[in-house]
Structure formats: C-alpha cells, structure tokens
C-alpha cells in the first residue's frame, strides 16, 4: 500500500556517489554509497546511476512510498533549468553539455532534476540542519573545492543562469595562486583541502615542521588537511598559520557577501571545516577587522557548523521534490 510520496537524492562525487530517499518526515532512508570510477566514459557512469536510482525507488516502494522525483547533486557548474552539466572538474572528458537529467529520466522513468552539490548542501542545512529558521543564509562547503549557496527570503537563490552562490570563486588575491577554475587568486585556491595540503608540502620538504612530519609518519601520501590540523593542534605553528590563511580567505569572502546581502547566518560544512576553531577563529578575526557596513550587527551573525550527515543527498532530494511540486 502506498502511504506517501517521496523523492530520491543522489550526491555525485568524483570518488563515490551516495543515493537514498527522503520520506515525508525529512528522514533519509536506505542510503547506499558506491564507487563512481569517474575515469570511465560518461555513458557507463550514467547507466550505473540510473541503476542505483531504480534500486532505490524499489526499496522506497517496498516501504510503501511512491517516488515522484529524483535530484542529482553534481560537483560542477550546471544549468539546473536545462538539466545540463557545464563545467565538471574531477571527471573525464565528455561531460561538458551532457544532458544528465534527461538521460537519467529516460533510463529510470522518474522525473529528474540537477542541482550543484554546494547548493544542495545549503538547501538541506537551511531546511533541516544548522540553518533551520534563518531566512537569509549563506552555505559554504570547504572540501576538495570551496562551494557555496544562498538562501534569500527563505528560498534558494540561483540567479539568472542558475549558477549563483559560487562563493569559492570570489577573488581573494588578484595576483595570487592559480585556481582550478582557471582564474587567479580565488578563495578556493587558499582554503580548499588541496590548497591546505599544497601549502604544507613546502615547509615539509624544507624540514621546518617536525610535528607534522611525525603526524604523517614521514609519508607524503598521508598528508591531508586533517593531518595539518592535527599538527596545528599539537603546537605546529606553521600548520596553524596555514589554517589562518585559509580562514582569512574565507572570512573576507563572507565579509563581502555580508556587505552585499545582509545575511543572518553562515553554515560551514565539508571535510576541511572539521578543523573547527582553527578555521573559525581567523574567520571571525577577519570579519571584525574588515566588516564595517554591518559592524553593529556582527554580534548577531551566526556562523554555524553543518549538522546533517548527508546534506548533499538530502538537498538533492528536496530540490527534486520542490521543483516537481510533489508537496513533500
Ligand atoms: Zn576559481
């Protein structure tokens, strides 16, 4: 017996993808994670995704739910209206212009919508997570890249081209490091996981960070943002400075967005954000130093750590439900 409508969320990553379905209480169910093997031709990956979506729909049906839509969170610039992938880093050739939503819909028979993964994160955290109750909010994900999303007047704001919210590609230093997007000096080039690792390689090679060397057991393969954070907390000043630099870049970006949009909350998630105060302290310091337009409201600003376990999957499912108006 069918008891309610539900939607599927799929979070597509370069290494793995996760898929589950969201019930009417906002509970994510039957979550499965599988390997993407992103070096394969897109058609093979799309076929796998379709299979996973169909299997998830069957599980939901067994629980008495009817799947009305599927949302795919993609780590790329996308056109959410056309359902096309435009600029996917970390994937092999053949993804540019791929009509992913249409292809999946044809294979599964389920109405399918795309959303950028950081926008999915923002949507989920604003509805069910740390950002619940805030009408004006910025979501920031700090991981392999630095993503973002905007909730304005309670709604996800995507702008004219469906791409608004690219927090990580604001310019932090116009004469600075090259960014993965092709630009120069983006926040992402200073605050992402790869940026933190890259910044740690030089002092490691120069033999200036003995605590970090010990943390990684003298093996560069084990160098990660987490290892740099561990060393910083154990007293490695240079590692602390790497996080300060990342925090300053994020803080300036947040300050700029605040000046323009007057937000009340920022939700920060992603693997690098697990460094907690190592990142949050320089963010606050930067805000206090550079934020004058809303200086008198700064004490009301909430900078919050993300709360949900799988915001990418949840947000993609919510987006699909909202876009196809199933009234979840
Ligand atoms: Zn960039």
């Amino acid at each position: 017996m069918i008891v309610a409508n539900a939607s599927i969320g799929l979070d597509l990553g370069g290494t793995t993808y996760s898929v589950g379905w969201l019930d009417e209480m906002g509970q994510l169910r039957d979550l499965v994670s599988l390997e993407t093997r992103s070096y394969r031709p897109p058609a093979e990956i799309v076929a796998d995704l379709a299979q996973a979506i169909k299997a998830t729909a069957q599980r939901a049906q067994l629980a008495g739910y009817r799947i009305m839509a599927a949302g795919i969170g993609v780590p790329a610039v996308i056109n959410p209206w056309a359902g096309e992938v435009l600029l996917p880093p970390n994937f092999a050739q053949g993804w540019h212009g791929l009509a992913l939503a249409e292809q999946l819909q044809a294979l599964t028979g389920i109405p399918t919508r795309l959303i950028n993964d950081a926008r999915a994160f923002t949507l989920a955290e604003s509805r069910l997570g740390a950002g619940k109750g805030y009408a004006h909010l910025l979501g920031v994900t700090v991981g392999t890249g630095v993503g973002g999303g905007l909730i304005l007047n309670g709604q996800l704001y995507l702008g004219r081209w469906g791409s608004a919210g690219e927090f990580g590609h604001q310019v932090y230093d116009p004469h600075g490091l090259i960014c993965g997007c092709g630009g120069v000096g983006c926040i992402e080039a200073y605050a992402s996981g790869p940026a933190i690792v890259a910044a740690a390689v030089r002092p490691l090679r120069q033999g200036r960070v003995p605590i970090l060397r010990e943390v990684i057991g003298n093996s560069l393969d084990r160098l990660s943002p987490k290892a740099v954070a561990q060393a910083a907390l154990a007293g490695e000043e240079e590692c602390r400075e790497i996080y300060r630099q990342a925090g300053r870049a994020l803080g300036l970006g947040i300050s700029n967005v605040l000046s323009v949009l007057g937000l009340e909350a920022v939700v920060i998630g992603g693997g690098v954000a697990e460094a907690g105060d190592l990142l949050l302290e320089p963010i606050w310091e930067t805000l206090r130093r550079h934020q004058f337009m809303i200086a008198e409201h700064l004490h009301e600003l909430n900078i919050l750590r993300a709360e949900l376990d799988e915001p990418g999957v949840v947000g993609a499912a919510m987006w699909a439900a909202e876009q196809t108006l199933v009234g979840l």
Side-chain angles (χ1 to χ4, degrees):
M1 192 185 73
I2 298 292
V3 293
N5 292 333
S7 62
I8 287 174
L10 189 152
D11 187 22
L12 177 60
T15 312
T16 60
Y17 63 94
S18 301
V19 57
W21 60 280
L22 200 64
D23 70 19
E24 79 280 24
M25 304 300 286
Q27 285 296 318
L28 184 61
R29 297 171 63 167
D30 293 325
L31 184 76
V32 179
S33 282
L34 298 157
E35 278 183 30
T36 309
R37 289 178 285 150
S38 57
Y39 52 82
R40 296 180 297 158
E44 269 182 44
I45 298 173
V46 171
D48 278 4
L49 300 181
Q51 205 54 47
I53 289 169
K54 282 197 280 188
T56 302
Q58 277 167 6
R59 283 191 278 270
Q61 207 171 3
L62 285 175
Y65 287 78
R66 183 191 294 116
I67 293 298
M68 302 300 284
I72 317 295
V74 188
V77 175
I78 58 155
N79 179 337
W81 325 127
E84 286 176 0
V85 177
L86 297 178
L87 185 65
N90 308 318
F91 279 84
Q93 300 295 312
W95 285 82
H96 183 87
L98 185 78
L100 182 58
E102 194 183 295
Q103 290 190 12
L104 285 173
Q105 193 164 319
L107 290 168
T108 62
I110 298 169
T112 303
R113 298 287 184 273
L114 300 192
I115 183 169
N116 167 276
D117 58 353
R119 258 67 91 190
F121 161 89
T122 303
L123 185 62
E125 286 291 339
S126 80
R127 297 274 196 270
L128 297 173
K132 211 170 160 182
Y134 297 105
H136 311 290
L137 172 149
L138 168 70
V140 178
T141 57
V142 195
T144 309
V146 176
L150 286 167
I151 300 289
L152 300 179
N153 297 315
Q155 299 296 318
L156 186 68
Y157 178 78
L158 293 175
R160 168 67 180 87
W161 300 284
S163 61
E166 282 297 341
F167 175 85
H169 300 283
Q170 297 179 79
V171 176
Y172 168 62
D173 179 357
H175 309 291
L177 301 171
I178 304 284
C179 178
C181 74
V184 176
C186 298
I187 291 170
E188 180 170 300
Y190 295 85
S192 67
I196 286 169
V197 166
V201 167
R202 182 190 293 257
L204 252 181
R205 290 285 195 204
Q206 293 172 334
R208 288 191 281 117
V209 281
I211 300 175
L212 178 60
R213 185 167 290 279
E214 204 181 303
V215 167
I216 63 171
N218 217 356
S219 159
L220 263 185
D221 289 347
R222 290 166 63 185
L223 182 58
S224 65
K226 196 176 172 182
V228 178
Q230 247 175 295
L233 291 173
E236 191 78 88
E237 185 50 34
E238 198 149 350
C239 290
R240 194 171 273 275
E241 182 54 32
I242 290 171
Y243 271 95
R244 259 188 225 120
Q245 168 76 27
R248 278 195 293 267
L250 293 168
L252 264 189
I254 291 170
S255 182
N256 290 339
V257 176
L258 279 181
S259 294
V260 176
L261 297 172
L263 306 172
E264 56 193 328
V266 180
V267 180
I268 303 186
V272 174
E274 283 166 25
D277 286 345
L278 283 175
L279 212 51
L280 288 175
E281 277 172 13
I283 287 175
W284 273 114
E285 212 174 283
T286 305
L287 281 171
R288 281 191 286 267
R289 186 174 306 145
H290 293 279
Q291 183 48 254
F292 291 93
M293 298 314 291
I294 59 154
E296 61 180 296
H297 297 296
L298 209 50
H299 68 281
E300 296 169 46
L301 175 72
N302 294 287
I303 300 185
L304 308 157
R305 298 274 298 277
E307 281 177 2
L308 301 176
D309 288 334
E310 292 287 343
V313 181
V314 171
M318 285 179 154
W319 173 249
E322 288 185 10
Q323 289 299 299
T324 53
L325 300 173
V326 296
L328 268 180

